[in-house]
Amino acid sequence: MSSRLFKFAQMDFEMAIWEMTSLLMAPKKVFRPDPSFTYLLSFFMFLTSLAWGLASSTSFASIVRLTLSFVFIHFLALSLLVSTAAFFLVGRLLGPGIAGLPGRRRQQGLFGQVGGAEQLEFGYCFDVAIRAFFPVWVFLYVVQFILLPLVSRDYWISLFVGNSLYLVAFGYYTIISFLGYNALPFLHHTELLLSPLFVFGILWFASLFGFNLPKHVTPLLLTGAR
């Protein structure tokens, strides 16, 4: 994975933009691993952090801290954390040779059918985590920022719209992650990776009785900027 990160001549940023659009419109389409996606989304996170910083702080230093936090902690560090956990847990729990988990062949997923080696690679897990983060960026860093004057109010419609943004964002994250691992024919019962959707649905419904997620999470997003 590290060797691909610095081969700029081989990166296709037009394809990365097409992938981003397809992740929202038709996530079952086939994508190819390309570090240009990571660089492009990092750049988008950088632009978003400037908007959040300018809106929430008047200090140049705090804007710089927020920018570093958005790009390197919210995006890259969390993606590395998720991909590391997936590398060890998905491979161990859903991989070949697990007792009681008969495998089945699969032909379609986030990156299409993968080659014959029956081994989960860390670079693949990182590619899946990076692509799954894109809808989170769209709904929680862009749409939520635009709608903050609405979702931060104390009205029930504000609570409903704001909390629904989190449901959609994490729902997309779960589905794209599932599609990524479902592409690997040697993994068993990858549909189990969809189980968080039920938890998110229950938490979303419970939150509608008075817990406004944007009002509580937005200060956490801005940690370090003030």
Side-chain angles (χ1 to χ4, degrees):
M1 181 185 71
S2 59
S3 61
R4 290 190 289 118
L5 287 176
F6 302 101
K7 294 181 179 179
F8 293 97
Q10 300 179 11
M11 297 182 187
D12 189 342
F13 288 98
E14 286 189 22
M15 176 63 72
I17 292 175
W18 177 83
E19 288 180 23
M20 290 178 174
T21 304
S22 298
L23 282 172
L24 295 177
M25 305 299 296
K28 277 193 174 183
K29 286 183 177 289
V30 175
F31 305 106
R32 63 183 182 87
D34 188 339
S36 61
F37 193 102
T38 304
Y39 283 105
L40 193 59
L41 189 48
S42 296
F43 177 67
F44 289 163
M45 284 291 289
F46 168 75
L47 295 179
T48 307
S49 67
L50 292 180
W52 281 79
L54 291 172
S56 62
S57 176
T58 57
S59 167
F60 175 76
S62 63
I63 294 176
V64 172
R65 289 196 299 268
L66 185 66
T67 298
L68 295 175
S69 176
F70 269 37
V71 176
F72 293 102
I73 298 178
H74 295 197
F75 176 40
L76 295 176
L78 286 179
S79 295
L80 280 171
L81 180 64
V82 170
S83 55
T84 300
F87 176 67
F88 289 104
L89 295 178
V90 174
R92 289 177 181 271
L93 300 179
L94 305 180
I98 305 300
L101 291 176
R104 58 183 177 87
R105 304 296 294 182
R106 288 178 289 273
Q107 303 296 326
Q108 188 175 3
L110 185 60
F111 299 128
Q113 187 172 355
V114 180
E118 293 193 347
Q119 181 178 359
L120 184 62
E121 298 181 355
F122 178 79
Y124 186 87
C125 297
F126 185 71
D127 284 327
V128 171
I130 289 296
R131 281 155 177 77
F133 189 88
F134 177 69
V136 175
W137 171 76
V138 170
F139 290 103
L140 300 189
Y141 290 85
V142 178
V143 177
Q144 179 178 224
F145 176 77
I146 296 172
L147 296 181
L148 268 180
L150 168 64
V151 299
S152 60
R153 295 293 191 111
D154 291 325
Y155 304 122
W156 187 85
I157 188 62
S158 301
L159 182 149
F160 175 80
V161 173
N163 291 8
S164 296
L165 288 178
Y166 285 80
L167 176 66
V168 173
F170 290 116
Y172 260 112
Y173 193 98
T174 302
I175 292 171
I176 292 174
S177 297
F178 158 73
L179 291 173
Y181 294 109
N182 191 59
L184 300 174
F186 56 85
L187 293 182
H188 309 155
H189 298 289
T190 51
E191 63 273 9
L192 293 175
L193 298 174
L194 293 172
S195 55
L197 291 176
F198 297 100
V199 177
F200 295 149
I202 293 173
L203 292 177
W204 171 79
F205 181 77
S207 71
L208 297 182
F209 290 92
F211 189 82
N212 188 312
L213 279 170
K215 290 184 66 174
H216 290 83
V217 175
T218 298
L220 297 178
L221 294 178
L222 296 174
T223 299
R226 298 174 179 174

